[in-house]
């Protein structure tokens, strides 16, 4: 928090204060700093400008968040926003207190010249005068970051690299970085150089970035903990050596399967991948893809109501990889697909605690893609195994239909220690609801509503099975 000198600054007794002084301002500095910490940039500036009592407080903040989006309600043009933002950054980072402690700095700003170099220099000067544990840059390219052309993205990429080259001190201390809508002319060189310079980086998020359809990025980093790739274009990314990497999230890729390969990743425990997969893409063999990720505790796979892009395989091939797996989420499985194939993961993960399955029942077609791979049901015959650890089975998108009812009974048969089954309705969708209201023959999935119905289907699920699992039907 604030310095000892600042926190011990005394105020006159209430009886001696001027009439009309507000009670909030009468609070000690440490309490007021706690309030400022939750305010946006515009409010912090306004409060300190209007009140002499609050004027010095922003320069005592130990966690600084300066976000250009806070200025959108005042200015509409990017130039105006960035001019005001640069002034605000200079004001907040003013090193006028010798004993100041800055624990973290989070700066969100637009990729706009000529302000970038000045921001980098201000951060570099602040780093020279204080010790910062966390430094974050969040860099969207413009106020309206949508539908940029390939030429625009390349220009933005060049602008970012110029900023990067001009401010090595700031990037050398960076711990979190988020980039959006950039294209790199030489990604094989640019990205490794970025990672080499940002030696302290722990979190990297790349959104809508273009590395080229045929580019294979070969990268490594000794400190990175989290890697996020959202709607980026590349052929493949090879993670060669990431000794501290804990999480990898990849949302919708456009190359072949798998889009990311894992080398030395001894601490990787959470993987989240989602894609509708394009025509011609082959299913991923998990035992090959995850052969070096043997400390997984959480696995999230989103099929986007399209192709099931993992290949069911002999569980024996996966036991050494899934031995630490505790949570599995299989999201947006298309409604016509059989669910029994998911049991190969259950059988391969002997200590799995929670299995979440979401069935997609959208009639609006919002998840369909013109170039998506063909949907085909996945068949799998489970062996006669007993699972001793599964505690929770949750199905979102439950409906009373033979396929789903049989699947639940099958899980009950194999998971002998199952404690709870949660059956939830399809998540609401305004478009689907509107289509149903206009249709002469609305699509209605059978979901128990009355308690008598719920009791009836609970009995059907338990019929002939010795299980004490609680069945919760919610919706």
């Amino acid at each position: 928090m604030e310095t000892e000198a600042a926190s011990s600054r005394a105020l006159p007794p209430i009886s001696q204060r001027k009439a009309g002084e507000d009670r909030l301002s009468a609070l000690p500095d440490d309490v007021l700093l706690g309030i400022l910490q939750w305010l946006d940039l515009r409010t912090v500036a306004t409060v300190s400008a209007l009140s002499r009592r609050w004027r010095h407080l922003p320069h005592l903040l130990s966690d600084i968040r300066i976000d250009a989006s806070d200025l959108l309600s005042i200015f509409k043009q990017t130039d105006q926003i960035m001019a005001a933002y640069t002034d605000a950054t200079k004001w907040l980072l003013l090193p006028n207190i010798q004993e100041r402690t800055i624990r973290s700095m989070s700066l969100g700003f637009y990729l706009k010249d000529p302000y970038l170099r000045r921001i980098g220099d201000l951060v570099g000067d602040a780093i020279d005068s204080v010790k910062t544990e966390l430094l974050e840059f969040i860099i969207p390219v413009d106020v309206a970051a949508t539908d940029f052309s390939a030429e625009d993205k390349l220009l933005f990429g060049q602008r970012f690299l110029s900023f990067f080259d001009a401010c090595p001190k700031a990037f050398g201390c960076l711990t979190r970085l988020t980039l959006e809508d950039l294209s790199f002319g030489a990604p094989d060189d640019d990205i490794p150089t970025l990672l080499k310079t940002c030696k302290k980086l722990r979190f990297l998020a790349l959104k809508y970035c273009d590395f080229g359809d045929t580019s294979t990025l070969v990268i490594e980093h000794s400190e990175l903990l989290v890697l996020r790739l959202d709607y980026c274009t590349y052929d493949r990314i090879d993670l060669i050596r990431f000794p501290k990497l804990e999480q990898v999230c990849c949302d919708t890729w456009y190359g072949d399967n798998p889009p990311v390969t894992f080398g030395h990743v001894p601490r990787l425990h959470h993987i989240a991948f989602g894609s509708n997969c394009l025509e011609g893409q082959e299913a991923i063999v998990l035992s090959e893809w995850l052969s070096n990720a043997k400390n997984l505790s959480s696995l999230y796979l989103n099929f986007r109501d399209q192709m099931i892009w993992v290949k069911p395989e002999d569980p024996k091939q996966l036991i050494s990889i899934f031995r630490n797996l505790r949570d599995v989420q299989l999201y947006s499985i298309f409604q016509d697909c059989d669910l029994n194939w998911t049991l190969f993961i259950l059988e391969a993960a002997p200590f799995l605690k929670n299995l979440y399955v979401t069935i997609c029942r959208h009639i609006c077609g919002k998840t369909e893609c013109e170039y998506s791979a063909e949907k085909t049901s996945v068949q799998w015959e489970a062996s006669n195994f007993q699972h001793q650890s599964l505690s929770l089975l949750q199905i979102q998108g439950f409906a009373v239909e033979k396929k789903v009812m049989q699947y639940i009974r099958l899980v009950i048969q194999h998971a002998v220690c199952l404690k709870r089954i949660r059956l939830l309705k399809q998540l609401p969708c305004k478009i689907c609801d509107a289509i149903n209201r206009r249709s002469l023959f609305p699509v209605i999935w059978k979901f128990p509503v009355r308690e008598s119905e719920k009791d009836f289907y609970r009995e059907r699920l338990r019929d002939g099975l010795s299980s004490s699992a609680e069945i919760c039907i919610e919706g």
Side-chain angles (χ1 to χ4, degrees), residues 294-329:
K294 295 187 177 181
N295 280 309
L296 287 180
S297 61
S298 177
L299 180 65
Y300 171 91
L301 305 176
N302 188 336
F303 303 103
R304 301 254 184 254
D305 189 28
Q306 300 293 314
M307 168 189 176
I308 304 300
W309 41 262
V310 296
K311 185 177 181 179
E313 56 183 307
D314 187 343
K316 294 177 182 177
Q317 303 297 320
L318 284 162
I319 288 178
S320 63
I321 301 170
F322 285 175
R323 62 189 176 188
N324 295 314
L325 205 56
R326 298 296 184 270
D327 296 279
V328 168
Q329 297 184 58

Side-chain angles (χ1 to χ4, degrees), residues 94-351:
L94 193 66
N96 62 342
I97 297 179
Q98 293 182 353
E99 297 182 11
R100 184 180 189 182
T101 298
I102 298 180
R103 184 171 55 199
S104 67
M105 285 189 283
S106 177
L107 284 77
F109 51 89
Y110 300 113
L111 199 61
K112 185 73 174 178
D113 286 329
Y115 310 99
L116 298 174
R117 176 63 184 270
R118 181 60 179 145
I119 292 170
D121 289 342
L122 288 168
V123 172
D125 292 342
I127 290 169
D128 282 339
S129 60
V130 297
K131 182 180 180 181
T132 303
E133 297 176 7
L134 186 148
L135 174 60
E136 177 179 27
F137 286 170
I138 303 171
I139 312 178
V141 297
D142 211 330
V143 173
T146 56
D147 297 328
F148 293 113
S149 67
E151 291 76 15
D152 289 334
K153 286 191 173 185
L154 186 57
L155 176 63
F156 297 143
Q158 293 168 347
R159 189 180 297 168
F160 168 77
L161 291 174
S162 297
F163 171 44
F164 168 71
D165 290 337
C167 306
K169 185 186 297 182
F171 280 90
C173 294
L174 203 62
T175 55
R176 294 175 63 93
L177 176 63
T178 299
L179 300 176
E180 299 180 16
D181 292 287
L182 302 184
S183 179
F184 296 90
D188 294 352
D189 295 326
D190 296 337
I191 302 303
T193 301
L194 175 67
L195 291 175
K196 186 176 181 180
T197 302
C198 301
K199 296 179 180 179
K200 297 183 179 180
L201 201 63
R202 295 180 228 157
F203 175 94
L204 176 61
L206 303 172
K207 302 178 180 181
Y208 299 96
C209 290
D210 187 355
F211 306 111
D213 293 336
T214 60
S215 61
T216 297
L217 299 182
V218 180
I219 55 177
E220 58 184 343
H221 198 278
S222 61
E223 298 296 323
L224 198 70
L225 301 177
V226 179
L227 175 63
R228 290 195 60 92
L229 303 162
D230 294 334
Y231 296 91
C232 294
T233 303
Y234 51 87
D235 183 57
R236 194 177 74 247
I237 295 179
D238 295 338
L239 306 181
I240 301 300
R241 184 173 179 80
F242 284 78
K244 295 185 179 181
L245 189 65
E246 297 177 354
Q247 300 181 33
V248 176
C249 304
C250 181
D251 191 351
T252 304
W253 58 91
Y254 301 104
D256 291 331
N257 290 334
V260 177
T261 65
F262 303 102
H264 181 65
V265 286
R267 296 189 185 180
L268 184 62
H269 65 79
H270 174 73
I271 287 179
F273 278 69
S275 178
N276 49 20
C277 275
L278 303 183
E279 188 175 355
Q281 288 183 257
E282 298 292 331
I284 297 174
V285 179
L286 293 179
S287 62
E288 297 175 2
W289 181 39
L290 303 176
S291 59
N292 292 324
K294 295 187 177 181
N295 280 309
L296 287 180
S297 61
S298 177
L299 180 65
Y300 171 91
L301 305 176
N302 188 336
F303 303 103
R304 301 254 184 254
D305 189 28
Q306 300 293 314
M307 168 189 176
I308 304 300
W309 41 262
V310 296
K311 185 177 181 179
E313 56 183 307
D314 187 343
K316 294 177 182 177
Q317 303 297 320
L318 284 162
I319 288 178
S320 63
I321 301 170
F322 285 175
R323 62 189 176 188
N324 295 314
L325 205 56
R326 298 296 184 270
D327 296 279
V328 168
Q329 297 184 58
L330 304 174
Y331 195 84
S332 199
I333 299 173
F334 65 90
Q335 63 191 35
D336 295 329
C337 183
D338 186 74
L339 299 174
N340 292 359
W341 66 270
T342 64
L343 292 179
F344 91 93
I345 296 178
L346 182 62
E347 186 173 355
F351 300 107

